[in-house]
Amino acid sequence: MTTVPPPTVSLSADEARRIALRAQGFLGAPDRRGGVRGVLRHLGAVQLDTISVLARSHELIPYARLGAVGRPAVEAAYWSDRHAFEYWSHAACILPIEEWPHFAFRRRARRARGHRWHVLQDKERSTRTVLERLRAEGPLTSTGLGGAKNGGEWFEWSETKIAVEWLLDTGEVVCAERRGWKRVYDLPERAVPDALLHDDLDDRECLRRLVALAGRSLGVGTRADIADYHRLGGAQFDAVVEESGLVPVEVAGWSKPAWADPAALGSAPRGRHRTTLLSPFDSLVWDRPRTERIFGFTHRLEAYVPKPKRIHGYFAMPLLAGGRLRGRMDPAREGTTLVARQLSLTHPAAARPMAEALREAASWVGCDTVRVERAGTAAEAAAVTAELAAL
């Protein structure tokens, strides 16, 4: 682990919380001129996930910050005009196209490994065939390339699907669009602007830039927080943090050393707080230890927990209100009704913000009524229902 110089700045826990909220786009007036693309550039990564209840997670991210952005507009903002690409960051993420050079280190590492967890039967032939098809026919989905399934092992992936995903890992193929949730594969020279289409940054420079960008997107964080943003290792963080421009800080109540983006320390965070429901995959809360440290709020995605063992529900969404996490709600849709299958509040005063967040979310997805099915207590259910009726 790197030797941390004595911090010259001390932050209270509340200051760190507000810095984090501003860095993530939840404090102050939203940048409506920048829109969805502005949110993506600001965050540096928007995680993708297959789960869709209220909406897919990558749609919920700009909604939480900008309000009721049209869902077709969200998709168009991500997947048009070569503004973004999909790659492995915190997980499978949409990334600003400007970050293409920064992931050269990861593409090289995948190439050096020689395979993913799938092993091609005939790598040379299979990859050559995929590249020839894309060159001749333009962007294609795995279906267009011949099909993704083969009925065998490895999640039933076909040789073609394994080949194109390997090429995606190594940067010989790019995903710059999803169509009907399917990746659309293309050649880098068509999908990435010429000025960015290079892998000449060495590993150290890639890491330095990603650590600096993660620090900016978080505002303030520990070694683990910042490294985890783009799934870097601790040793990778240690190797470049002194060159990243991040400033060592001390945060009251944090047991580990921390670093902050110097721009985040330049002015006190002020402005309006968003009241909204958050995707569990939102970068404000995707790191559970950080979420608990900053907000005193323990949250776990329970989609992959057996139903009898779930506490808060399949896709429980934290409620952000007044800069605090004030509860959570597990959504469902029945026709034009948004159903809160289960909700809970951290304080009785959170009933009004929960009702506001539910009403706004319902309107966004085309629902005209909201029903509370179950709550932590009968009093919580009654309070939120009463507030909904009053809106």
Side-chain angles (χ1 to χ4, degrees), residues 8-27:
T8 58
V9 177
S10 294
L11 299 172
S12 68
D14 188 64
E15 287 171 327
R17 177 184 59 82
R18 291 170 62 81
I19 285 172
L21 286 166
R22 182 174 63 181
Q24 283 283 302
F26 289 108
L27 182 58

Side-chain angles (χ1 to χ4, degrees), residues 39-46 94-96 99 216-217 229-230:
V39 169
L40 176 61
R41 287 193 301 271
H42 191 75
L43 298 179
V46 168
I94 304 172
L95 302 162
E99 292 186 18
R216 184 190 71 185
S217 297
Y229 203 82
H230 292 294

Side-chain angles (χ1 to χ4, degrees), residues 205-219:
E205 179 60 12
C206 291
L207 297 172
R208 187 196 68 79
R209 293 189 186 194
L210 288 174
V211 165
L213 287 170
R216 184 190 71 185
S217 297
L218 291 172

Side-chain angles (χ1 to χ4, degrees), residues 338-367:
L338 172 61
V339 181
R341 293 192 294 190
Q342 185 171 336
L343 63 79
S344 60
L345 308 175
T346 62
H347 190 277
R352 178 77 177 190
M354 177 64 83
E356 292 171 348
L358 285 167
R359 186 67 73 191
E360 182 183 55
S363 176
W364 179 55
V365 298
C367 292

